[in-house]
Amino acid sequence: MSLLDKFKKTKKGNDTFESSIDNDFVDNKVVLTAEQKKKADPKYRILEIYEEEKEKAEEFKRIHAQTKKKKNWVQRLSDYLKLISFKNLNSRIEAYGFSYSFSRYISNIIILIAAVIASSFLFKLETSYIPFLILFGICMLPIIILAQIQFMNNSFKFEQINTYLQEMIIAFKTRPKILFSLFEVKDMFETGVEDQITDAIEYIQHADIGDNGTNTYEHGLKIIEDKYHCSRIKSLHNLMLTCEKENSKNYDGAINDLYDDIQAWKSRVYDYQITLNNTRTQFNIVLLLTIGVSSVMINILPDTLTDFVSSGVYQVSTCIMLCIFLGMFCFVQTKLTGHWLVDDMDGDDYNILKDVYYVETYDEEKARKKSFMNAAIASAVPLFGYFIFHSNTMTFIGILIMLYFLTKERLTYKSKKKAVENEIRKQFPAWLRDISLNVYNLVVTRAIRQSVDTCPLVLKYYIEKLVQETEEDPVTIRPYNNFLQEYYITDITSSMKSLYVIKSQNSNEGARLISDLIQRNQEMMANAEKIRNENQLSAFNMLGTIPMVIGALKMMVDMGLMMLHFMDKVGNINLN
């Protein structure tokens, strides 16, 4: 039974109906009066959106599974090992549109072997361990090479996207027709996006008769959007579609504002690419310094104190440490390819709606009662520990359990609300950008209503509420003030007030206010992208401490071995 079916389940002979949601979604029952209409009921609508998006995601997985069968770990390992062959590796590289010579591959292997031998010499590894390290490094090498190619490919895609956006804007300003703009831009590319532009043109020119021309342009442009998941491409296409459908002449201001936004985004992406390179370089330096520091002791001390290097424990621990460092180097290379800088449209995770549901249905009074009840039950543990078992440990653990149950509901609510708030902060600026561009050609309320089907999932329920409230109260500012007010995000509150003012002004004053709104929104976009990129890079900043921890542990093992060997020598001297 789906969550929505459970929600619809009614009590017999009662005017109320009750929802029993799975524990992983929400663990408390919700009683609602029959007078609450389903469309006006926030709980019902959130679940309805959740079920719709879940069904879409599952359908996508089924279609994807038909074209690409999921491989088990044996098949994946087999495919990976095949990449050690230069022929197979080169075919993967050529699929990205790049070439990679065999001499370059051999030179990388030679560099790898030299690095392994140098590290083995520093740590005085026995020669029997060196072939294993070389083999392990050669297995990692194809992954490192592919990661470098992916980084180059993402940089190439960014240049393609940037050129496409700028040239399409110039062509559309010359003549506001989608097909004309596509023809003008197509000849500027020889590879990459040129194939998608050609397919889009052919689709628009030879669309099925059943389409009646209403969605021809939209479906044609979607061919490009599906290949390049860039929010600004989608924004440009939406603006062009609006102008084409409305036969609008007021597009100059919107086009200019979008062009300014693209230029600001271009500058930020260049900065983040530099940050990626710096992060990668810093990690490599940490690895080298850790290797150097870890090997200092056995190289500066006299041989009489470092004879433990011949022991199996030292040799194996050193070999393991170097393998871990090789694996970490490979991992960092594969993750810092910068794909999120180009594909900046994260697939909406419908599971965020679970958090939205929890936040919207949270009842503080019920949560407090539940916390006290659970804590009262858990109080048996410290009571038994203190009065019956006379165990301080059990008493202390019991008190911790009580505190956990006392704070669990409130902390869960804060955690889920913070997750929703962060997602809103990331997604709202992109939605507002599309609204701001469309209000040059549409009234504010129509632009908002038109965005319901394409808005981010985390905002969909709140935007539907806004549309409903503006229909009930089309005059006052109340619907705009109520939008996301429970999250107290000042930038959003200010932006919604600006939309209301734009709705109430004449065209000339409205155009100036729209430009001001877009400029303010660019700052929000920059902050949202900063959060997004920091989330991607924060894990790698923490990862940089791991080599130092491993190096410190290795030095502790070496010092322990040195002390044991030293004490053994002292014992032998005393015996003699």
Side-chain angles (χ1 to χ4, degrees), residues 9 17 26 67 72 120 127 146 247 268 327 365 478 517:
K9 196 173 182 180
F17 63 94
V26 64
T67 57
N72 57 39
S120 301
T127 54
L146 283 177
N247 196 23
R268 289 196 297 270
E365 185 62 29
R478 183 183 60 83
L517 177 62

Side-chain angles (χ1 to χ4, degrees), residues 386-443:
Y386 186 78
F387 291 106
I388 296 177
F389 296 102
H390 306 290
S391 171
N392 292 333
T393 303
M394 186 176 178
T395 304
F396 179 73
I397 293 174
I399 292 172
L400 291 180
I401 294 173
M402 283 183 60
L403 291 174
Y404 167 75
F405 282 114
L406 275 173
T407 58
K408 176 178 176 292
E409 296 296 323
R410 186 63 182 170
L411 291 177
T412 301
Y413 169 73
K414 287 184 176 181
S415 173
K416 291 183 180 293
K417 186 175 181 180
K418 189 65 177 178
V420 175
E421 182 180 330
N422 288 338
E423 190 67 14
I424 288 172
R425 287 182 184 275
K426 287 194 293 183
Q427 301 290 357
F428 177 81
W431 174 78
L432 182 62
R433 179 185 61 207
D434 293 343
I435 296 296
S436 303
L437 295 174
N438 280 330
V439 293
Y440 279 101
N441 304 293
L442 304 172
V443 295

Side-chain angles (χ1 to χ4, degrees), residues 27-63:
D27 57 3
N28 59 316
K29 292 184 177 181
V30 182
V31 179
L32 305 167
T33 63
E35 296 177 354
Q36 290 176 297
K37 304 299 181 181
K38 68 176 185 179
K39 288 188 178 180
D41 180 9
K43 307 168 192 64
Y44 183 95
R45 183 54 190 147
I46 297 170
L47 291 177
E48 199 171 47
I49 297 171
Y50 173 83
E51 292 293 337
E52 290 170 359
E53 297 301 328
K54 183 179 179 182
E55 186 177 346
K56 289 179 185 177
E58 289 175 350
E59 179 64 22
F60 175 81
K61 288 179 181 178
R62 284 194 293 270
I63 295 172

Side-chain angles (χ1 to χ4, degrees), residues 6 51 70 148 166 173 203 221 246 268 280 292 299 437 525 552 566:
K6 290 181 180 181
E51 292 293 337
K70 189 175 181 180
Q148 294 171 346
Q166 294 188 78
K173 286 185 70 174
Y203 180 89
L221 293 174
E246 303 293 329
R268 289 196 297 270
R280 191 184 293 110
N299 286 288
L437 295 174
M525 288 289 295
F566 179 76

